Amino acid sequence: MPPQSILRSQLLAAAVALGLSTGLSIPAALADQEPCIGNSAAVTGPAAFSGQAIKMGAEIAIEEINAAGGVLGKKLRLIQYDDAGAPPRGVDNTRRIALADKCIAVLGGFHSTVALAQVDPVHEIGIPYMGVWAANTKAIENGRDPNFMFRVSAKDKWVARFLVDEALKVSKTGKVAFFYENTGWGNGALPDVKAALAAKGKELVAAETFNWNDQDMSPQVIRARDAGADVAIVWSLDREANQILRSMDKASWKPAIVGAWGISGNLGELAGPLANGVRVMQTYSFLTPQSEAGKKLLAAVETRTGIKDPKDIKAPSGIANSYDAVYVLADAIKIAGAFDWKKVQQALYQVSRDGLVAPYKPAFDKADPERQDAILPQYYLLTVWHDGKLIPLKGSPYDK
């Protein structure tokens, strides 16, 4: 085991032992948190683009905050861990961030399966969690009081309504099929999509699931086609959506497709022209008119990456969400007047600011369980794949 890992393990054991020996809770045993924010996200594996985007957005925000004097006279720093999309690693990283690094908060990553697994350790320890990508409804609406899970990102309950509205706009028959991955994210979205359709007096004509790494979706595609669907809502990652598109092509079925943002990473590269016209929900794009803050962030991203065309920036929502999340956390620390988990958790309900993605006024509402989410659905954005690039639907060749 590397020396750093040994040290962290020793610190964790010492913290737990101190809590047990004195009768203190773990948070009490680790009073006085550090001015760091920890992030558990996939920085390796097929979704590595997501972790890199989150890291970049957070680091740029921290650099700006520190250049302006930091928070409570201290410089913030980001501590990054890789969870590779594996829930056990996310749980371990959460404990490291809280108990070994003693950070003031945890940023969440791409995978809802990881976010769901983090609910228990976050509340056992009492450290604020700020989701910036994973959108599973119950990860945040988890029934805990007090609730330490917050999010500056999308929420599947609201995403489902957004996508159902878009699906019915492009459908000629009102017959909608749903393709969803067999994970906590996909299975959690099924009731959200059904409820959104029911509110419109509709129901799914087909609900087809699949596993990660499935190579052929022909049976699911044929059942949906034969059910008469002319539009498909897709709740998938890019890798599996590529197989869905290829199976649709093989079955000579070309429905309109609207998808959650799991297909916003590299679908255009994997599927090529088959991805053209696939609509995807996002929270941010660098291709829309930019605010001054957006122009500043874009310049920082271009400097870091060497990218000159904003169309080439991967995962803009991940960058922008994490950027805003860090500023929201910094505001809460200032309001709390201390690097203290409980005080910061309470202060998050008092944050009010004009963010990059949306206005957060307030960012969260303690009286409303749905408002542990900061980005309201009216700020969601519809984009579309075209020639390997994800561009805003408005003004695109598919804007009819």
Side-chain angles (χ1 to χ4, degrees), residues 31 70 124 126 131 223 249 350:
E124 287 166 4
R223 285 193 293 267
D249 185 56
Q350 301 175 50

Side-chain angles (χ1 to χ4, degrees), residues 28-290:
L30 284 172
D32 301 323
Q33 279 70 58
E34 295 292 324
C36 61
I37 297 170
N39 179 226
S40 176
V43 292
T44 60
F49 66 88
S50 65
Q52 296 296 341
I54 292 168
K55 181 173 181 286
M56 184 173 4
E59 286 179 339
I60 292 171
I62 286 172
E63 288 173 3
E64 292 179 1
I65 291 167
N66 287 344
V71 180
L72 302 182
K74 296 183 178 181
K75 301 292 187 181
L76 290 178
R77 65 185 188 277
L78 182 73
I79 296 178
Q80 178 69 54
Y81 290 105
D82 181 21
D83 62 37
R89 291 182 65 172
V91 169
D92 183 50
N93 291 343
T94 300
R95 295 189 180 280
R96 288 182 179 183
I97 289 164
L99 302 176
D101 300 313
K102 297 174 63 175
C103 289
I104 190 60
V106 179
L107 287 185
F110 180 74
H111 294 88
S112 285
T113 49
V114 178
L116 287 165
Q118 289 173 294
V119 174
D120 282 344
V122 160
H123 287 91
E124 287 166 4
I125 296 167
I127 183 172
Y129 167 101
M130 187 69 71
V132 297
W133 200 313
N136 179 274
T137 301
K138 293 189 180 298
I140 307 300
E141 292 184 25
N142 51 57
R144 306 299 181 98
D145 186 16
N147 189 356
F148 280 77
M149 302 284 287
F150 298 83
R151 185 161 50 198
V152 178
S153 182
K155 183 194 340 232
D156 283 344
K157 180 192 297 184
W158 294 343
V159 173
R161 296 169 188 169
F162 180 84
L163 294 182
V164 162
D165 284 346
E166 296 301 330
L168 293 177
K169 285 179 186 176
V170 298
S171 174
K172 295 179 180 178
T173 65
K175 294 184 177 181
V176 180
F178 184 46
F179 292 82
Y180 62 102
E181 63 175 46
N182 183 26
T183 64
W185 181 50
N187 290 315
L190 179 60
D192 289 334
V193 171
K194 286 183 174 180
L197 273 169
K200 301 289 185 180
K202 303 285 186 180
E203 61 182 26
L204 292 170
V205 298
E208 299 292 341
T209 191
F210 50 86
N211 296 316
W212 281 359
N213 293 312
D214 280 358
Q215 298 299 305
D216 185 7
M217 309 293 186
S218 294
Q220 295 98 316
V221 163
I222 290 170
R223 285 193 293 267
R225 181 198 66 187
D226 292 350
D230 69 344
V231 61
I233 298 175
V234 175
W235 225 272
S236 164
L237 303 185
D238 299 282
R239 177 182 54 197
E240 286 74 35
N242 172 48
Q243 299 302 335
I244 292 172
L245 291 175
R246 294 185 184 282
S247 294
M248 287 177 174
D249 185 56
K250 187 165 61 174
S252 299
W253 182 46
K254 297 188 181 300
I257 299 172
V258 294
W261 60 6
I263 57 175
S264 65
N266 60 352
L267 181 65
E269 298 169 21
L270 295 173
L274 293 178
N276 284 349
V278 173
R279 293 163 167 79
V280 187
M281 169 269 163
Q282 292 278 274
T283 55
Y284 198 77
S285 172
F286 287 109
L287 300 175
T288 58
Q290 298 292 294

Side-chain angles (χ1 to χ4, degrees), residues 328-382:
V328 168
L329 281 168
D331 286 353
I333 296 166
K334 292 175 185 176
I335 292 168
F339 287 91
D340 178 276
W341 290 331
K342 187 174 181 179
K343 290 179 180 178
V344 169
Q345 187 266 350
Q346 290 295 310
L348 281 166
Y349 297 110
Q350 301 175 50
V351 173
S352 180
R353 72 162 26 247
D354 286 315
L356 178 70
V357 177
Y360 307 118
K361 297 187 174 182
F364 308 102
D365 184 350
K366 190 175 183 179
D368 184 353
E370 288 199 339
R371 285 288 280 110
Q372 295 279 125
D373 280 276
I375 301 177
L376 301 178
Q378 59 259 42
Y379 300 109
Y380 293 175
L381 172 70
L382 196 63

Side-chain angles (χ1 to χ4, degrees), residues 279 382 384 391-400:
R279 293 163 167 79
L382 196 63
V384 64
I391 61 176
L393 177 67
K394 186 175 181 181
S396 76
Y398 313 95
D399 183 16
K400 299 178 182 178

